[in-house]
Amino acid sequence: MAAAAALALTCLIVGPASAADTPLNLDCQAKPPIGSAQTLTLAAGVDGTAPDTVTAGSSFTATLATQPMTVPGSVSGYTIKSIKNITLRAPVPANATLTGTSLSGGSGTGSGTPTVTVSGGEIVMTVPGPINGGQSFTLPTLTLNLTAAASGGVIETRLSGTSYSSPGLTFTASVPILFTTVSVPTSCFPSPNPVLTSTTIS
């Protein structure tokens, strides 16, 4: 079971960040049904776009796009069957009113339909999957429709997450072990948590 947890942590293999991407270090913990939890740091990247400045009370959009990722077919001789229930969270930005959200693009994310909701001050993207081992995929681009506050300030976007119990990214890996398939839930948070876009209200 400990081996299954370690395998779960290697399920999201990310290519090197391009110059436009903000690199992310994700501190992750996988919890197998039996045995001790395993921890690992994963490298990822997000390409965020938003205007540098906007006038008070004006409307604008910010977009967050993750890099392409690959689920390995096997690690150290163990098969990765699939991953599912990928959830990515971002806080609703301060100094702005969120008027709408949408998803666009994305590929290879399985038969489930990705969705985005707003709950408890967070924007939540959910990708049901499943995404098979050995398959490359790209999460949908998240677009935020925002209205700048009249009081001024700076509007920043970033990912949620401060601990394993309050994560910004979660997913479940399916790993065949002997004569059964083990589901290993994994929780990650960005450490440190960089600003993805920054817009100053003029």
Side-chain angles (χ1 to χ4, degrees), residues 122-133:
E122 287 188 313
I123 303 152
V124 184
M125 180 199 300
T126 302
V127 179
I131 304 172
N132 295 329

Side-chain angles (χ1 to χ4, degrees), residues 110-125:
S111 58
T113 301
T115 59
V116 59
T117 59
V118 180
S119 177
E122 287 188 313
I123 303 152
V124 184
M125 180 199 300

Side-chain angles (χ1 to χ4, degrees), residues 2 28 31 48 52 65 97 116 119 128 132 143 150 158 178 192:
C28 299
K31 287 188 173 182
D52 292 332
T97 300
V116 59
S119 177
N132 295 329
T143 297
R158 63 179 74 221
L178 297 178

Side-chain angles (χ1 to χ4, degrees), residues 3 6 12 23-24 26 37 40-41 44 55 60 63-64 68 76 93 105 108 114 122 134 136 143 156 191 197:
L12 298 182
L24 290 172
L26 297 170
L40 186 73
T41 298
T55 57
F60 68 101
T63 62
L64 303 177
S76 301
E122 287 188 313
S136 296
T143 297
E156 296 179 340
S191 180
T197 68

Side-chain angles (χ1 to χ4, degrees), residues 7 72-75 77-81 174-177:
L7 288 172
S74 64
V75 177
Y78 290 88
T79 299
I80 304 298
K81 185 176 181 181
S174 296
V175 182
I177 301 293

